Structures are given as structure tokens and as C-alpha cells.
């Protein structure tokens, strides 16, 4: 019985250590809003007033500071504030920017076939980012988009 108890204590300590390591990411880094109801606050506690309520899941944000289980985030328009880490996801997403639809190509080249056009404000998941192109998936409609037309990835960044 003593061995079991020590085993569970060791397992618990390893799980806690693993969770702590997962939170240790170098800022700034990209994340997305994980829920359809998330509050942005003026400070890193629930006692600080909320300035925004996000009702749109998967919006990309940049984490610029970490304080305990709070993250200071920056959104597309430059607005910054604090959000609980549990309201954020590591899922990589992006939002189409600009004034005109962005082209989504079959391959990462302007010479490849055109699959879709995405309106400004459309949010999708990104992967395979390299050489200033990302594979952009909006509800199963996929194509490569130039990163100059999206917010959620840094120039030159490689995303697997």
C-alpha cells in the first residue's frame, strides 16, 4: 500500500511538472481563443474590469506577457489586455486582413490554381507555413494563402 501511495504521489508530481513546462513558452507566441465566451481584462486577476467579451472562437492572438495563469494578449487591431490561460488554445489560426478577398491557391505559388477566395475577417486554421505561405483551412475549404493577407503568423515563421 505504501508503494502505491508513493507511486501516485510521484505520478502527480510528474503531471504537475509537465503542465508547468507546457506553460513555459518564450513570448511573444501565437495562440487562439479557445471558447466562444472569453473576457479580456485590464489586469491579471478576476477583480480587474473586463474591457471586451469575445464571442468568436479561434480568433488568433499574440501572447506578449505571462503572469501566473494569466496571459497578456494582443489582438489584430493592437488592443492588449489580460486573459486566463485556460481560455486560450495552442491551435494555430489566422484571420484574413485587408480590404479585398484573399486568394487561396492549390499550391504555395501565385501561379497555381485558385481554390477559393476568403473575405476579410474570415478565420481559419493554419499549417504548413513556409516561404511566406500558409495552408489555410476554413471549415474544410483549404488552400495556400500568402501570409501578407493574414494575421496570426510572423513573416518567415515556419509552422508545421
Amino acid at each position: 500500500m505504501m508503494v502505491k501511495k508513493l507511486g501516485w504521489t510521484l505520478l502527480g508530481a510528474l503531471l504537475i511538472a509537465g503542465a508547468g513546462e507546457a506553460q513555459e513558452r518564450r513570448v511573444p507566441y501565437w495562440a487562439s481563443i479557445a471558447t466562444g465566451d472569453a473576457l479580456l481584462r485590464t489586469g491579471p486577476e478576476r477583480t480587474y474590469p473586463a474591457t471586451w467579451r469575445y464571442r468568436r472562437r479561434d480568433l488568433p492572438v499574440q501572447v506578449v506577457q505571462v503572469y501566473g495563469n494569466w496571459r497578456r494578449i494582443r489582438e489584430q487591431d493592437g488592443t492588449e489586455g489580460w486573459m486566463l490561460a485556460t481560455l486560450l488554445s495552442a491551435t494555430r489560426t489566422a484571420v484574413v486582413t485587408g480590404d479585398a478577398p484573399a486568394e487561396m491557391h492549390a499550391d504555395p505559388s501565385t501561379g497555381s490554381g485558385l481554390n477559393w477566395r476568403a473575405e476579410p475577417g474570415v478565420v481559419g486554421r493554419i499549417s504548413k507555413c513556409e516561404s511566406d505561405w500558409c495552408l489555410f483551412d476554413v471549415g474544410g475549404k483549404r488552400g495556400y494563402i500568402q501570409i501578407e493577407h493574414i494575421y496570426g503568423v510572423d513573416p518567415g515563421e515556419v509552422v508545421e
Side-chain angles (χ1 to χ4, degrees):
M1 185 152 184
M2 188 72 120
V3 173
K4 255 188 192 178
K5 193 171 190 182
L6 288 174
W8 281 110
T9 303
L10 179 58
L11 177 62
L14 290 173
L15 289 173
I16 290 169
E21 289 171 16
Q23 295 294 330
E24 295 299 323
R25 294 175 67 187
R26 183 175 297 156
V27 293
Y29 65 87
W30 292 98
S32 57
I33 296 178
T35 178
D37 190 14
L39 294 176
L40 185 72
R41 297 184 179 275
T42 59
E45 292 291 333
R46 290 180 192 259
T47 55
Y48 284 94
T51 55
W52 288 99
R53 170 172 257 144
Y54 293 88
R55 298 284 191 165
R56 194 166 175 197
R57 176 188 188 112
D58 284 342
L59 282 174
V61 295
Q62 191 170 43
V63 176
V64 296
Q65 188 178 353
V66 173
Y67 180 80
N69 61 345
W70 290 85
R71 304 294 178 265
R72 184 172 182 84
I73 63 165
R74 179 181 305 130
E75 64 164 83
Q76 180 182 353
D77 70 359
T79 298
E80 289 190 15
W82 292 91
M83 190 173 284
L84 273 170
T86 57
L87 299 175
L88 298 173
S89 169
T91 301
R92 292 300 299 269
T93 65
V95 60
V96 177
T97 59
D99 298 325
E103 295 182 343
M104 296 169 59
H105 291 269
D107 293 303
S109 161
T110 55
S112 69
L114 181 62
N115 289 356
W116 308 97
R117 286 189 176 93
E119 292 284 333
V122 168
V123 175
R125 296 188 177 208
I126 58 171
S127 62
K128 298 182 183 177
C129 298
E130 193 172 356
S131 302
D132 296 327
W133 289 85
C134 286
L135 184 58
F136 191 60
D137 185 325
V138 182
K141 293 174 174 55
R142 299 165 46 123
Y144 285 90
I145 193 168
Q146 291 178 301
I147 66 166
E148 67 188 48
H149 300 294
I150 56 176
Y151 175 82
V153 64
D154 293 317
E157 181 182 3
V158 174
V159 176
E160 307 256 338

